[in-house]
Amino acid sequence: MSPALRERLVAVAVRVAGVSTIAFILVIFFFLIQQGLPALVEVPLSDLLARRWYPIEGVFGLLPLVLGSLLVTLGATVIAVPLGLLTAVYIAEVAPRPVREVLKPFIEVLAGLPSVMLGFLGIVALAPELYHRLNLSTGLTAFTGALLLGWIAIPTIVSVAEDALDAVPRAYRDGALALGANHWQTIWRVTLPAARGGVLTAVMLGIGRAFGETMAVMMVTGNAAVMPLGLGSLFQPVRTMTATIAAEMGEVAGGSLHYHVLFLVGILLFLISLAVNLVGASVVFRARTRAERILS
Amino acid sequence: MRRAAPLLPISLTAFVVLFAFGCTPDSSPGAAPPERAIVNKGSDTMVNLALAWAEAYQQVEPAVDVSVTGGGSGTGIAALINGTVDLANASRQIKPEEIEEARGNGIEPVEIVVARDAIAVIVHRDNPVDHLTLEQLSVIYSGAINNWAEVGGADRTIVRLSRETNSGTHVYFLEEVLRLGDPDNRTLFATDTLLLPSSEGIAAEIAYNENAIGYDGLGYVTDDMKVIAVGQDAAGPFFLPSVETVNRGVYPIARDLYIYSPGEPSSQARDYLAWILGPLGQELVASLGFVPLEPTS
């Protein structure tokens, strides 16, 4: 095989791989649209914006589901982002080498834990504990879900953020230290801002992981489709969009109204994660241009 | 036929492919099923029972293989309509529109009652309440009352637990308890009712939560929960669910479990059903916590 031919083959293979990935996403998207849009025609918009979800009687208010997902994800973000970033900073910048070499792979193993196992832990240990400690009426609440989701998102955040911090050139730190900055000032003012793009990617991936998580959430949030209004609802049961699809898709008759509405919920999930990613990407992009300006 | 294909056609090609795919397995509903294999599918309530029957029947009739899957009563009946099962398990009676649909496919469903099931109302073992009327259960679950003190218990919030909406048990409880069997009653579960995806979820919550009230099949009741005696009205009498009270017809929340056959069962399916209704099959019903039919011998 001549080198030129090999070159062409590799180029074709790479192109096919790239194009097929995009094609798969497009196919999924069109399928979602095709199965979900009929719901917008069949169910009046005012019904979709109602505050009650009881599909077996044809009551399809999506608001409690959307707000439920947002509440649980927000709770998980508040828990996971600071903890995850601090852990990443500790591993990348503070921990001595041997500690680091143990911690990093350990956290990556945690990232691979099946969520159903965490959900089970949530049911048998976390929920009863919260019920007794916080004197709640039930342990199956949005907060329980947020704690578990935070736990699920932290390894992702730590792993990606640590890689980003690790990639910051040694010269940056040496320069800061040489200018008289102490260790903390170097981390906070130099290393973290330099790794900003990667750190934001880590946060976005973590939020995405929490938002899309299904099994653990379905097991511990109680799945009651109440409208979560106010902070108090953090300690009440909620029903998320993902849990709704997982719980109901198995039994629904193909082509029925309920079936189309579940696909509409899928479209909403898709759009919300897309929005989160776009916001993240634009922030990263802005950060990069500023860094380039400083360096030039 | 459209029901057999779960997807709307994207294009004519896709339609043809799906149509062919959806129809191949049931193009010959009248033909005999493959020799010595009985395909059995349906109710999740009944799946453990169906598995136990299939396993025990293997000892009796080693040549006949019964393959059992769950998925829910609706799933089983849908498969019956599409002609892809020999026997469909259902924890509810087939609906008139489902019979119509089956007839449209040239299938006449045959109904056999194979066991009975009672729904037990359960609370935390330290809950002082030990009996409730159907009416009280209805107001508790519809959210009209929210404190145990209103039904003679401690001053505690009531936390309502239910199975998910896709469970046959959920629908049965809605119709027979919340709506008290009245088809014109449109009462719904209170919005804050916890919908748990499994019997294990309900058992785990009842085990620690003194506020909780739940319901589930009698077969799922364990020793660490308290079963409530249920009565028609406040004057009583109140009955705990048991084989005896269900067969006497006095326990108010009990139902029949069915197996449906597409048309008259084949000879091997008929033998299997006869064995299920016989003493050995009914012994298994009892051992799994369901209620056996009146002794036939």
Side-chain angles (χ1 to χ4, degrees):
Chain A
M1 198 190 286
S2 74
L5 182 63
R6 199 184 309 151
E7 190 100 332
R8 289 231 339 245
L9 276 179
V10 170
V12 167
V14 169
R15 189 167 306 140
V16 166
V19 170
S20 63
T21 309
I22 296 169
F24 280 138
I25 292 177
L26 281 180
V27 167
I28 291 172
F29 188 67
F30 281 121
F31 186 74
L32 271 179
I33 297 270
Q34 185 221 0
Q35 298 295 315
L37 278 192
L40 282 180
V41 182
E42 292 159 12
V43 187
L45 199 61
S46 58
D47 285 9
L48 291 175
L49 294 176
R51 295 161 156 241
R52 173 99 213 215
W53 172 262
Y54 197 68
I56 56 173
E57 298 273 319
V59 183
F60 295 115
L62 299 176
L63 275 186
L65 309 182
V66 174
L67 292 179
S69 270
L70 292 181
L71 178 70
V72 175
T73 310
L74 193 73
T77 308
V78 169
I79 294 164
V81 169
L83 272 176
L85 291 187
L86 287 177
T87 312
V89 167
Y90 174 74
I91 294 178
E93 305 293 319
V94 183
R97 212 147 246 291
V99 175
R100 186 180 165 180
E101 241 123 65
V102 176
L103 277 183
K104 184 93 208 268
F106 186 72
I107 282 171
E108 265 148 21
V109 168
L110 276 184
L113 267 187
S115 59
V116 66
M117 259 177 62
L118 288 174
F120 185 67
L121 261 181
I123 283 188
V124 299
L126 189 58
E129 199 59 28
L130 290 175
Y131 165 83
H132 291 299
R133 289 274 157 104
L134 304 180
N135 199 20
L136 302 171
S137 62
T138 170
L140 303 177
T141 64
F143 182 67
T144 322
L147 271 183
L148 267 195
L149 283 186
W151 195 356
I152 288 171
I154 282 174
T156 309
I157 297 180
V158 172
S159 181
V160 178
E162 201 271 342
D163 284 343
L165 289 170
D166 205 39
V168 173
R170 172 114 220 124
Y172 282 32
R173 297 185 188 87
D174 291 345
L177 292 171
L179 287 171
N182 63 27
H183 199 171
W184 164 246
Q185 287 166 329
T186 309
I187 292 169
W188 188 242
R189 299 275 181 79
V190 178
T191 323
L192 259 181
R196 203 166 151 182
V199 167
L200 271 164
T201 309
V203 170
M204 289 302 140
L205 282 175
I207 294 177
R209 183 81 213 271
F211 186 65
E213 174 51 44
T214 305
M215 203 57 210
V217 176
M218 179 158 78
M219 291 166 85
V220 303
T221 55
N223 304 317
V226 288
M227 291 287 288
L229 302 168
L231 265 187
S233 27
L234 201 53
F235 297 100
Q236 299 289 326
V238 288
R239 188 177 183 87
T240 63
M241 296 193 269
T242 47
T244 303
I245 296 178
E248 294 169 15
M249 196 53 104
E251 280 272 321
V252 73
S256 67
L257 198 55
H258 185 189
Y259 176 87
H260 290 311
V261 175
L262 286 180
F263 270 95
L264 186 66
V265 174
I267 295 179
L268 280 179
L269 271 172
F270 189 92
L271 290 180
I272 294 174
S273 12
L274 193 70
V276 169
N277 279 315
L278 284 181
V279 169
S282 75
V283 173
V284 170
F285 184 67
R286 216 179 303 146
R288 194 169 294 149
T289 50
R290 184 187 293 163
E292 278 159 8
R293 210 166 44 236
I294 291 167
L295 285 178
S296 64
Chain B
M1 274 302 124
R2 233 194 89 212
R3 199 178 163 28
L7 319 170
L8 290 176
I10 300 173
S11 66
L12 191 63
T13 329
F15 179 71
V16 170
V17 170
L18 290 171
F19 191 79
F21 178 73
C23 293
T24 330
D26 59 322
S27 52
S28 54
E35 264 299 297
R36 309 203 175 289
I38 299 175
V39 181
N40 178 213
K41 182 174 184 163
S43 166
D44 281 327
T45 312
M46 292 167 70
V47 73
N48 285 333
L49 179 60
L51 281 168
W53 276 332
E55 220 164 277
Y57 194 63
Q58 191 89 91
Q59 321 263 305
V60 182
E61 202 70 63
V64 179
D65 186 35
V66 185
S67 82
V68 178
T69 43
S73 302
T75 312
I77 291 175
L80 179 91
I81 292 168
N82 293 332
T84 54
V85 289
D86 300 304
L87 298 172
N89 307 328
S91 59
R92 60 166 172 83
Q93 212 159 11
I94 191 168
K95 295 175 191 160
E97 56 266 30
E98 288 168 334
I99 297 181
E100 280 309 304
E101 239 178 298
R103 285 187 184 145
N105 287 358
I107 290 164
E108 182 65 42
V110 176
E111 176 183 298
I112 304 113
V113 175
V114 289
R116 290 186 226 286
D117 180 26
I119 291 187
V121 177
I122 45 184
V123 294
H124 186 268
R125 57 188 169 284
D126 295 337
N127 193 323
V129 174
D130 53 17
H131 65 275
L132 292 168
T133 64
L134 282 178
E135 179 76 38
Q136 281 175 319
L137 285 171
S138 171
V139 291
I140 286 174
Y141 267 97
S142 64
I145 63 174
N146 289 299
N147 196 303
W148 278 107
E150 293 181 67
V151 289
D155 178 22
R156 283 181 165 278
T157 324
I158 298 177
V159 171
R160 297 167 268 267
L161 312 179
S162 164
R163 295 292 305 277
E164 267 289 354
T165 51
N166 59 9
S167 142
T169 315
H170 176 103
V171 176
Y172 177 74
F173 197 80
L174 174 72
E175 287 169 357
E176 293 305 314
V177 180
L178 260 86
R179 296 176 173 172
L180 302 165
D182 174 5
D184 297 326
N185 190 331
R186 303 321 296 161
T187 310
L188 291 180
F189 280 91
T191 36
D192 61 359
T193 305
L194 273 65
L195 298 180
L196 303 180
S198 63
S199 292
E200 288 72 23
I202 290 188
E205 183 69 8
I206 289 279
Y208 78 83
N209 193 340
E210 289 180 54
N211 305 316
I213 180 168
Y215 65 87
D216 213 336
L218 188 54
Y220 293 106
V221 171
T222 56
D223 290 338
D224 59 357
M225 37 179 103
K226 178 172 172 182
V227 181
I228 295 280
V230 182
Q232 292 287 355
D233 50 54
F238 294 87
F239 295 99
L240 284 167
S242 71
V243 173
E244 192 256 326
T245 55
V246 172
N247 264 324
R248 263 171 55 210
V250 290
Y251 183 71
I253 326 172
R255 60 177 170 180
D256 293 341
L257 300 176
Y258 306 89
I259 287 184
Y260 287 93
S261 157
E264 282 306 315
S266 64
S267 71
Q268 56 180 1
R270 196 161 48 235
D271 292 347
Y272 182 50
L273 286 169
W275 176 84
I276 284 175
L277 296 174
L280 286 172
Q282 292 300 306
E283 212 169 276
L284 282 173
V285 170
S287 73
L288 281 165
F290 291 101
V291 180
L293 303 172
E294 305 274 48
T296 43
S297 56

